[in-house]
């Protein structure tokens, strides 16, 4: 089980900040997010734009870092503009 915590202005499409998921093998942070589908789809663009700080087990990581079963991923939104533009769009 991997836990994902969203902080700052980040949240899922349903307004959640904490989730857990099973992974079959080691995956990158990006792959774990992709597996969550619609709930975290907006985070993929923010990762590409470098607007999200990633940590795994309280250590700075990246979207390409490998995640193992039992790890805790924390995603911290930052855009240098006081937090605007990080919430999911409902379009």
């Amino acid at each position: 089980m991997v836990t994902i915590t969203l902080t700052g202005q980040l949240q899922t499409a349903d307004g959640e900040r904490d989730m857990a998921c099973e992974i079959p093998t080691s995956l990158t942070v990006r792959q774990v997010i992709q597996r969550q589908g619609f709930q975290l789809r907006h985070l993929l663009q923010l990762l590409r734009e470098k607007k999200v700080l990633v940590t795994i087990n309280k250590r700075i990581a990246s979207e390409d870092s490998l995640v193992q079963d039992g790890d805790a991923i924390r995603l911290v939104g930052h855009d240098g503009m006081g937090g605007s533009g990080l919430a999911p769009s409902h379009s």
Side-chain angles (χ1 to χ4, degrees):
M1 177 90 50
V2 172
T3 59
I4 303 170
T5 303
L6 308 177
T7 60
Q9 298 293 317
L10 298 178
Q11 59 186 359
T12 69
D14 292 335
E16 299 293 322
R17 292 185 181 272
D18 296 299
M19 54 186 9
C21 62
E22 296 288 339
I23 59 172
T25 184
S26 296
L27 298 173
T28 65
V29 170
R30 183 184 325 97
Q31 290 170 322
V32 172
I33 291 171
Q34 288 171 333
R35 289 174 60 92
Q36 301 311 303
F38 175 76
Q39 287 292 328
L40 297 180
R41 179 183 63 196
H42 65 286
L43 287 179
L44 295 172
Q45 179 64 31
L46 295 174
L47 282 168
R48 281 190 290 275
E49 295 172 0
K50 306 292 187 213
K51 292 184 177 181
V52 176
L53 172 69
V54 179
T55 67
I56 300 172
N57 301 327
K58 299 183 181 180
R59 293 179 184 227
I60 294 175
S62 76
E63 64 182 293
D64 297 316
S65 297
L66 286 178
V67 179
Q68 311 285 333
D69 187 46
D71 284 347
I73 301 170
R74 181 176 293 262
L75 303 170
V76 182
H78 71 88
D79 66 359
M81 303 295 286
S84 62
L86 294 176
S89 63
H90 296 285
S91 54

